[in-house]
Amino acid sequence: MLRRTLLASALAIPALAACATATSGARDPLAPLPLDTSSHARPEIARVTHVSLDLTADFERKVMRGKATLSIAARDDAREIVLDSLNLVIHRVSAGGAETTYTLGESRPSLGAPLTIALNGARTVEIEYESGPDAASLQWLTPAQTASNKPFLFSQGQSILNRTWIPTQDSPGIRQTYDARIVAPEGLKVVMSAEMLTPEGEPLGDGQRAFRFRMPQPIPPYLIAIGIGDLVHRATGPRTGVYAEPSVVERGAYECADMERMMDVAEALYGPYRWGRYDVLILPPSFPYGGMENPRLTFLTPTFLAGDRSLVSLVAHELAHSWSGNLVTNAVWADGWLNEGFTSYIEGRIGEALFGEENARMAEALAWADIQTALTTVTPDGQRLHWVGEVDANDNSSAITYDKGALFLRTIERIVGRTRLDTYLRSYFDRYAFQPMTTQHFLADFRQHVVRGDAALEAQLLLDQWAYEPGIPSNAQAPVATGFNDIPGHIEAFIAGGPPAAAPWEHWNTMQRQRYLQTLPRELSATQLRDLEAAFGLDDIGNMEVRFDWLSLAIANSFEPSSAAIERFLSEQGRGKFIRPLYRALMQRGEWGQALARRTYAHARDGYHPIVAAAVDRILAA
Ligand code: BES
Ligand code: ZN
């Protein structure tokens, strides 16, 4: 059954044209791209090929200000270029060095306004500007919000936030190289998702320091990223290391000790790591994601520092994006599963190589359970890998984009064999390195190189159903995780009145503990909850994934004794994946939950990243 969506049919020819140029050498800088409804750019006329930033981080006013110089590839008859901008304050624009005219169109929420600049025959434009107040991509932290009691700034570009601090074409299909000179107050270090040309910076003699960077490989603009703070570096191997505030860096280096081996595993599977170094930056606790795969410099939440390396699959995931996402990139966000689903699959492969098959099966079983939940809670439209129409981004659960995407690849693996899929994926990353990708083009490429007209194989794979339909196709198989075998028995014994301490909690790993907490009945008595908490110290458990699962259970039962622990958890970190569901759950628990949510939010909101705060605003207003 061949599904042709509006978007998919519009792509058919352009995406395949890109393939032809890949084998014949240099890529056409104006190669056709699918329409990105999240950008104002008109890349068929003129597109940005290089961004040169010369900016000062003004911690007093909380703005980035300075100049962006853009290099442009354009049709001979192009009169103008259209950029994305959201709340930028534009001071002056020139083209080829001469002042030119520009217009800022009507601004739409999230999308921002088109910034249209007359080219007058030039192929560079210079924009003097500053970021607006409350730029959604930037979080300016006060000294009190950091470990070292110094100011801190970090950016988060994905998906369409970078237009709040960089005036460029903010579309993942429009790849751009970049360089930057960033001025920051003396005493702080600037790091970026690029080669660091001046690790210590250059003193300017006025209490400030300038840092320079260079990213020579073309990247989608959501991967331009910056961090500024009291940062030090610890090597974890010849190519890898950790940046963090001084009091965090040792713990960070301990947790990340496996990074060099992870790189070796990924390279053996999918070909050379093409970005030079791989460092991670551990951010203050308000970082809104688990991780962000900024090239050469993954950004990480400090909530993964469990002290026992039990949450390093996060690092494997972000590292895997060095192939799926950063090298071959979803051309439009409707195909986000090409980034996240592939990456979750590779994350699993790295984990399997490092920590064994049993561990891998347990991770797959947890993901399988999340998919099952999504099938009952997410609208059918939100269950498609390739999004169609106006899918509400909030409806699009990560269990689909990430876990269904990975399950699709594992299903292919089971049917065609691991060797065949590995060989194919390696060739895919080589063939499309530094290029955008669409679902339709991936399927065409897979058919060309693997299915090759084999009708029986085609019928077995159900490729179009996986990519374009809601639900999970019939050829998916539930993972068998023997490490979880005993858990139902321990739960039954506890429900029958046995003490929770009868379960071998101390011998369980993080995933077994999560499985136990996630599969306990959602309705428990206050006595049962008190016994659980007392047996395992759940209110204070250092592992944030486990504590999240516990507090979810506590909230589902309006378990008052954990109120303080809930408030603390929601105040000491700002990771959206933890914050949003807990506020949502609290708001469904009547008087107790709503009062706790409002009381906590009143003082915690200031610590949250703008995008998390905006989401919680909506949850509390509903
Ligand atoms: N690229 C994502 C983070 C992201 C997704 C940012 C969507 C903005 C919009 C990153 O690679 C990611 O998936 N992070 C996960 C961790 C992972 C182990 C599932 C996260 O932040 O929880
Ligand atoms: Zn990811």
Side-chain angles (χ1 to χ4, degrees):
M1 161 188 19
L2 192 81
R3 290 280 300 204
R4 285 170 65 88
T5 64
L6 195 71
L7 187 59
S9 54
L11 296 186
I13 296 142
L16 289 161
C19 167
T21 56
T23 45
S24 62
R27 202 173 130 76
D28 173 5
L30 290 174
L33 286 171
L35 177 70
D36 179 1
T37 54
S38 299
S39 169
H40 289 105
R42 296 174 59 198
E44 66 287 0
I45 298 171
R47 68 182 76 164
V48 175
T49 58
H50 181 80
V51 177
S52 182
L53 298 173
D54 189 352
L55 299 174
T56 296
D58 184 338
F59 279 84
E60 239 111 81
R61 294 178 50 231
K62 300 191 189 325
V63 297
M64 295 293 281
R65 60 178 157 77
K67 187 163 107 173
T69 305
L70 311 179
S71 310
I72 291 161
R75 270 182 5 202
D76 290 341
D77 61 349
R79 291 157 173 268
E80 54 194 33
I81 184 161
V82 186
L83 310 176
D84 291 298
S85 70
L86 179 51
N87 295 335
L88 296 178
V89 181
I90 312 284
H91 297 308
R92 188 166 173 274
V93 179
S94 51
E99 190 143 348
T100 189
T101 53
Y102 68 93
T103 57
L104 258 181
E106 194 192 325
S107 189
R108 290 168 49 193
S110 321
L111 231 70
L115 170 59
T116 306
I117 300 174
L119 288 174
N120 303 330
R123 290 297 177 262
T124 61
V125 296
E126 305 88 39
I127 302 147
E128 288 168 37
Y129 74 102
E130 59 188 59
S131 59
D134 306 320
S137 61
L138 301 177
Q139 191 177 14
W140 301 85
L141 297 172
T142 61
Q145 293 172 305
T146 69
S148 55
N149 210 32
K150 296 262 182 74
F152 203 107
L153 166 71
F154 67 86
S155 72
Q156 165 61 40
Q158 193 182 359
S159 299
I160 56 170
L161 302 176
N162 264 350
R163 61 193 65 183
T164 64
W165 77 287
I166 305 171
T168 188
Q169 292 176 318
D170 192 10
S171 175
I174 307 177
R175 304 187 78 94
Q176 302 156 35
T177 53
Y178 84 88
D179 63 65
R181 177 180 175 274
I182 306 287
V183 175
E186 194 72 62
L188 302 182
K189 188 198 266 306
V190 184
V191 295
M192 289 190 86
S193 56
E195 188 187 340
M196 318 223 184
L197 300 174
T198 52
E200 299 312 319
E202 300 156 339
L204 298 179
D206 60 350
Q208 303 193 100
R209 233 166 231 272
F211 294 77
R212 288 183 296 108
F213 305 88
R214 181 178 87 103
M215 170 46 77
Q217 288 118 317
I219 57 169
Y222 69 87
L223 293 177
I224 303 177
I226 190 168
I228 306 180
D230 181 12
L231 296 171
V232 291
H233 184 262
R234 282 282 175 288
T236 49
R239 287 192 291 179
T240 59
V242 175
Y243 287 96
E245 294 183 271
S247 64
V248 179
V249 78
E250 297 303 342
R251 277 195 296 150
Y254 174 83
E255 215 79 22
C256 293
D258 286 322
M259 284 202 299
E260 206 75 40
R261 276 170 67 212
M262 288 179 176
M263 282 183 88
D264 294 342
V265 167
E267 284 190 307
L269 285 169
Y270 305 117
Y273 177 78
R274 306 199 192 212
W275 307 92
R277 288 193 55 84
Y278 182 74
D279 290 300
V280 300
L281 169 64
I282 300 177
L283 290 139
S286 67
F287 187 62
Y289 292 100
M292 179 63 215
E293 65 272 24
N294 299 314
R296 295 180 64 107
L297 186 66
T298 279
F299 285 21
L300 293 176
T301 171
T303 64
F304 94 106
L305 298 167
D308 60 3
R309 300 182 182 157
S310 59
L311 299 176
V312 291
S313 59
L314 170 68
V315 181
H317 178 98
E318 306 311 337
L319 172 67
H321 274 304
S322 305
W323 287 263
S324 44
N326 297 3
L327 199 54
V328 181
T329 310
N330 52 220
V332 290
W333 294 112
D335 279 332
W337 80 277
L338 292 173
N339 282 15
E340 299 300 346
F342 274 59
T343 295
S344 297
Y345 169 78
I346 298 175
E347 169 196 337
R349 293 294 302 276
I350 296 173
E352 182 181 314
L354 257 63
F355 309 117
E357 291 186 18
E358 195 35 53
N359 255 286
R361 295 301 87 78
M362 286 191 268
E364 289 164 12
L366 290 179
W368 176 270
D370 287 344
I371 297 172
Q372 300 311 314
T373 305
L375 296 185
T376 61
T377 55
V378 177
T379 62
D381 269 347
Q383 297 176 15
R384 303 174 206 271
L385 288 180
H386 169 78
W387 306 352
V388 283
E390 299 282 302
V391 178
D392 179 352
N394 298 321
D395 263 6
N396 208 284
S397 128
S398 71
I400 300 301
T401 305
Y402 290 66
D403 301 327
K404 179 182 173 182
L407 182 61
F408 181 19
L409 291 181
R410 286 203 305 278
T411 304
I412 293 176
E413 179 193 310
R414 202 192 69 241
I415 294 172
V416 307
R418 180 169 274 196
T419 317
R420 232 159 128 199
L421 179 60
D422 287 354
T423 307
Y424 168 74
L425 283 179
R426 175 161 184 164
S427 76
Y428 165 89
F429 290 125
D430 285 342
R431 217 165 19 255
Y432 300 107
F434 303 106
Q435 291 186 40
M437 182 54 60
T438 63
T439 296
Q440 170 143 358
H441 189 58
F442 159 64
L443 292 181
D445 186 74
F446 182 81
R447 288 189 165 105
Q448 184 188 337
H449 291 92
V450 180
V451 183
R452 304 173 68 168
D454 180 337
L457 179 57
E458 177 73 49
Q460 229 186 324
L461 285 166
L462 307 174
L463 298 174
D464 293 308
Q465 201 184 325
W466 273 100
Y468 298 123
E469 300 288 334
I472 298 295
S474 57
N475 60 357
Q477 270 181 21
V480 178
T482 52
F484 289 166
N485 279 354
D486 295 343
I487 290 175
H490 290 296
I491 289 179
E492 265 170 51
F494 170 60
I495 297 308
W505 181 267
E506 290 308 320
H507 300 281
W508 277 342
N509 67 20
T510 293
M511 290 187 287
Q512 289 165 318
R513 292 174 177 187
Q514 288 190 273
R515 178 65 155 204
Y516 181 76
L517 292 173
Q518 289 175 8
T519 52
L520 278 167
R522 290 301 86 183
E523 247 181 75
L524 293 171
S525 71
T527 314
Q528 287 171 317
L529 290 163
R530 198 168 304 121
D531 289 349
L532 280 172
E533 203 290 318
F536 310 134
L538 295 170
D539 277 348
D540 305 293
I541 199 154
N543 187 303
M544 298 295 257
E545 298 279 352
V546 175
R547 206 194 309 170
F548 171 78
D549 286 337
W550 156 247
L551 294 176
S552 303
L553 187 61
I555 294 173
N557 290 281
S558 303
F559 184 56
E560 206 278 324
S562 285
S563 298
I566 293 163
E567 184 161 355
R568 189 157 34 83
F569 185 80
L570 290 173
S571 313
E572 70 189 20
Q573 53 80 36
R575 185 174 174 185
K577 176 184 122 166
F578 293 149
I579 297 289
R580 283 188 307 260
L582 292 191
Y583 276 105
R584 224 176 274 130
L586 282 173
M587 292 307 281
Q588 290 166 4
R589 304 313 304 175
E591 186 88 39
W592 166 79
Q594 298 187 2
L596 178 53
R598 294 192 197 286
R599 185 171 75 237
T600 305
Y601 195 46
H603 63 84
R605 186 182 191 280
D606 270 355
Y608 295 160
H609 187 278
I611 54 178
V612 174
V616 181
D617 284 349
R618 286 192 294 273
I619 292 168
L620 294 210

